[in-house]
Amino acid sequence: MHYYTDVLKKYVDFSGRARRQEYWMFFLFNLAALIIVAIIDSAIGTYPLLYLIYALAVFLPGLGVGVRRLHDTGKSGWWLLISLVPLIGGIWLIVLMATEGQPQPNQYGANPKQVHA
């Protein structure tokens, strides 16, 4: 759970690096929360109001952790735009997000595995 709250605390931090675990745990918690909010929203008859409010609330934190994740692999945050390329772009972005980060410090900062170890 702390992975989710740590990302929310750094909601506009686009500098530094994020480990794979931080990114994917945030992704999973966020996906589960979106599903739960959608179910609640449908049950009370306000769909998609609550869903959109939640999605907008986590947009910047999700963008920030995505940029920091790409920084860990040595790529610029602008690589997130590769997902706009139909079919191949989304697959390539998943590959980038799943790639292990650089073990040595890079232009974006120290290795987060060594910092948190």
Side-chain angles (χ1 to χ4, degrees), residues 18-117:
R19 297 175 62 183
R20 280 185 295 187
Q21 186 175 19
E22 179 183 2
Y23 175 79
W24 288 109
M25 292 304 287
F26 176 77
F27 178 85
L28 289 174
F29 276 106
N30 194 40
L31 181 63
L34 279 168
I35 291 170
I36 291 168
V37 168
I39 291 169
I40 292 170
D41 211 7
S42 287
I44 61 175
T46 59
Y47 188 79
L49 180 65
L50 295 177
Y51 180 86
L52 289 175
I53 291 170
Y54 177 78
L56 284 173
V58 295
F59 176 73
L60 282 178
L63 193 61
V65 75
V67 167
R68 291 193 311 273
R69 177 69 206 121
L70 287 170
H71 286 175
D72 192 39
T73 62
K75 305 267 188 273
S76 166
W78 289 104
W79 274 91
L80 281 175
L81 297 177
I82 194 78
S83 64
L84 298 176
V85 176
L87 186 63
I88 302 300
I91 294 168
W92 187 247
L93 185 61
I94 291 171
V95 169
L96 287 175
M97 295 301 190
T99 302
E100 186 172 356
Q102 295 177 330
Q104 69 278 6
N106 64 19
Q107 65 189 11
Y108 302 106
N111 183 351
K113 281 187 178 180
Q114 294 172 347
V115 172
H116 291 103

